[in-house]
Amino acid sequence: MSVGLAAPGRPLRTTSLRLRTVVAVTVLLAVLLAGLVVAVEAVLGARLTAQVEDRLRDRASAAAALVGVLDADDLADRLSAQGLSVRIVEPDGAAVEAGPTPDQLRNGPPDPGGLPGPAAKADAPRTGRSAATGSSAAGSTSTSTAGTRITSSSVRDDDGVLTLRSDLADGTRITLTAGTRDVQETLAQLGWVMGGTSAAFLGVAVVGLVLVVRRTMRPLDEMTGAARSIASGDRGRRLRPERTDTEIGRVALAFDEMLDAVEGAEAKAVAAEERVRGFLSDAAHELRTPVAGVRAAADTLVRNGAADPGTNEELAVHVVRQADRAARLVDDMLTMARLDRGIALDRRPTDLGPWLVAEVDRLRLRLPATTVDATVPEHAVVADVDPDRLAQVVGNLVDNAARATGPSGTVRLTLTEESGEAVVRVEDDGPGIPASERERVFDRLVRLEASRDVRSGGAGLGLPIARGIAEAHGGTLAHADSRRGADGLGGAVFDLRVLLA
């Protein structure tokens, strides 16, 4: 059992193109805005933390300059007055602490020094910042105005506090801790502001997208309306796009071309149906005449019996003639049906000169009262044809010419070469065909008024059959201009053309 194949007739599943476009763009905008918020918070948070660290380093440099000038208690008091947690360990191991503890800075309100940013005042000149900045720096050194050096420093960022530990050259260790809770609160507020702004922006974007997509998809609605209008009977409606180099323009152009093709096919189908109906009507009319003759003659034979042998013989001959006429008409109709379906040809290379001479000899035997002449070139004229079917074409043309010229007429056949084609010209000395009728005679069951004689046996299918066979060979059959004068007979002239081999 096959797997994964769609069942025939299953409806196509699809979602709204408008909805898909709006959702896709909205999701993309949401991702971009979320990335922007994260990036802004990360950059701003790093910037604010760096400012707090710079302040601590400034305070540490100032403290290093005052070591030896102030005692540890005074120095700790001055540093703690700026909202810092201070711990000073002297070389002898004595420790001095001042200001809020790190836990208080972590959980309490923002420090009074107004962090982030440098302190508003300092009691001693500062020697500047150390050379190293960042989340941690080790091994950096600076020199104070009193000659005390900071031999090393390290920074530790804990949750809500930032601690800077500095080791001085005399063995003193100063630990400064500043609260960063205000930085975190600032970042949180910024996140809420940007999140709300982004949500509002997305809401406005969705509304705008709906309007823009609706306007963008309007051509599709027009195409849908046109298709429904055409389905309702407005066959001549078209989209006629202004531009054909865009996606919608190309689709609209293809839609119009499809409609033109469908309308043309529909017109051809209607015309073909009309031709079939006309053909059937004309064929029934043509068959009715011989059938009626056979019926009348048979009815007379039945009623007369053996009363008049001469009359009976005449009626029997009439029955045979009418039956033969009906049989020819049926054969011609079957041939036309085969031509419509695509007749099979037995092609082979044929020298048309000897072939035409042989066909003319047979036609003379069949039409003893008509003068039939043939003119062929001395060199070979070879074409890839079905000689039997081509003989049928020539026979139909000569039969029509013989009926048009009468029992003592003349028909001439000429074989020539023109532009890679073999041309068989059939002309007669009859009255000819009016210019307005020269194309119509190739329609089915069409006979000119002058030839509407039931005794002629013609049903108006000879020329259509002949043209159909010629076209099946890839050639043509058409009426040529009459050539009056010494070179021509002045009647109808037909040219049969096939490609040379």
Side-chain angles (χ1 to χ4, degrees), residues 27-342:
V27 170
L28 178 61
L29 289 177
V31 172
L32 293 176
L33 289 174
L36 178 63
V37 171
V38 172
V40 169
E41 288 186 348
V43 172
L44 184 59
R47 182 69 176 174
L48 294 176
T49 303
Q51 290 181 0
V52 175
E53 182 180 344
D54 289 344
R55 181 188 175 189
L56 291 178
R57 292 186 181 278
D58 289 343
R59 300 288 77 77
S61 297
L66 295 176
V67 171
V69 178
L70 297 176
D71 58 16
D73 292 333
D74 292 339
L75 182 58
D77 290 339
R78 293 197 177 199
L79 292 175
S80 64
Q82 300 176 16
L84 302 178
S85 175
V86 182
R87 176 181 174 82
I88 300 176
V89 179
E90 296 179 319
D92 57 1
V96 178
E97 296 182 359
T101 64
D103 291 336
Q104 291 175 337
L105 292 175
R106 183 181 293 111
N107 300 321
D111 58 277
L115 292 176
K121 63 179 181 177
D123 295 332
R126 290 177 294 174
T127 60
R129 301 174 184 176
S130 63
T133 60
S135 62
S136 65
S140 61
T141 60
S142 63
T143 304
S144 66
T145 56
T148 305
R149 293 181 300 115
I150 299 178
T151 58
S152 64
S153 62
S154 61
V155 177
R156 185 179 71 253
D157 188 1
D158 200 357
D159 183 24
V161 294
L162 188 66
T163 302
L164 175 64
R165 175 178 173 177
S166 301
D167 295 329
L168 306 185
D170 63 351
T172 303
R173 185 171 66 248
I174 301 176
T175 302
L176 302 178
T177 302
T180 57
R181 180 63 62 185
D182 55 343
V183 173
Q184 296 176 354
E185 291 178 355
T186 300
L187 293 177
Q189 293 176 0
L190 178 64
W192 282 106
V193 171
M194 294 191 67
T197 304
S198 299
F201 172 78
L202 282 177
V204 175
V206 168
V207 175
L209 279 173
V210 170
L211 297 177
V212 171
V213 171
R214 179 179 299 175
R215 183 176 181 84
T216 304
M217 298 299 176
R218 186 174 300 172
L220 296 179
D221 294 336
E222 295 178 1
M223 293 177 64
T224 302
R228 290 176 176 172
S229 177
I230 292 169
S232 300
D234 187 8
R235 296 292 190 269
R237 183 173 179 180
R238 296 294 182 272
L239 295 175
R240 297 181 179 85
E242 298 178 354
R243 296 180 57 185
T244 59
D245 57 343
T246 62
E247 294 80 1
I248 297 296
R250 286 192 293 269
V251 172
L253 180 61
F255 185 79
D256 285 349
E257 292 175 348
M258 179 193 67
L259 292 178
D260 291 339
V262 170
E263 186 176 11
E266 183 182 15
K268 291 180 180 178
V270 172
E273 184 179 0
E274 292 296 330
R275 287 196 301 269
V276 169
R277 290 179 178 177
F279 178 74
L280 292 176
S281 176
D282 293 339
H285 176 75
E286 293 292 339
L287 284 173
R288 183 175 60 181
T289 300
V291 169
V294 170
R295 181 178 181 181
D299 183 62
T300 303
L301 282 172
V302 171
R303 284 188 287 104
N304 288 345
D308 188 356
T311 302
N312 290 345
E313 182 179 359
E314 182 180 353
L315 291 173
V317 171
H318 180 72
V319 169
V320 172
R321 288 178 178 175
Q322 294 299 327
D324 183 63
R325 182 184 177 192
R328 289 199 305 271
L329 180 58
V330 172
D331 289 341
D332 289 343
M333 293 172 63
L334 290 175
T335 302
M336 289 301 304
R338 293 190 187 99
L339 289 172
D340 292 338
R341 189 171 58 249

Side-chain angles (χ1 to χ4, degrees), residues 350-437:
T350 304
D351 187 353
L352 297 182
W355 166 83
L356 185 59
V357 172
E359 290 302 321
V360 168
D361 291 341
R362 281 191 287 270
L363 289 171
R364 286 171 181 163
L365 295 176
R366 188 158 57 86
L367 302 170
T370 304
T371 301
V372 183
D373 297 328
T375 303
V376 300
E378 296 181 358
H379 61 275
V381 180
V382 181
D384 187 21
V385 297
D386 184 340
D388 295 334
R389 289 296 183 182
L390 213 59
Q392 186 177 357
V393 176
V394 173
N396 285 351
L397 293 176
V398 174
D399 286 342
N400 282 349
R403 283 194 294 268
T405 59
S408 59
T410 299
V411 182
R412 179 180 297 167
L413 290 84
T414 306
L415 175 63
T416 58
E417 294 183 52
E418 296 180 8
S419 303
E421 293 180 329
V423 182
V424 178
R425 171 162 289 186
V426 181
E427 53 185 334
D428 59 61
D429 61 352
I433 301 176
S436 60
E437 303 287 345

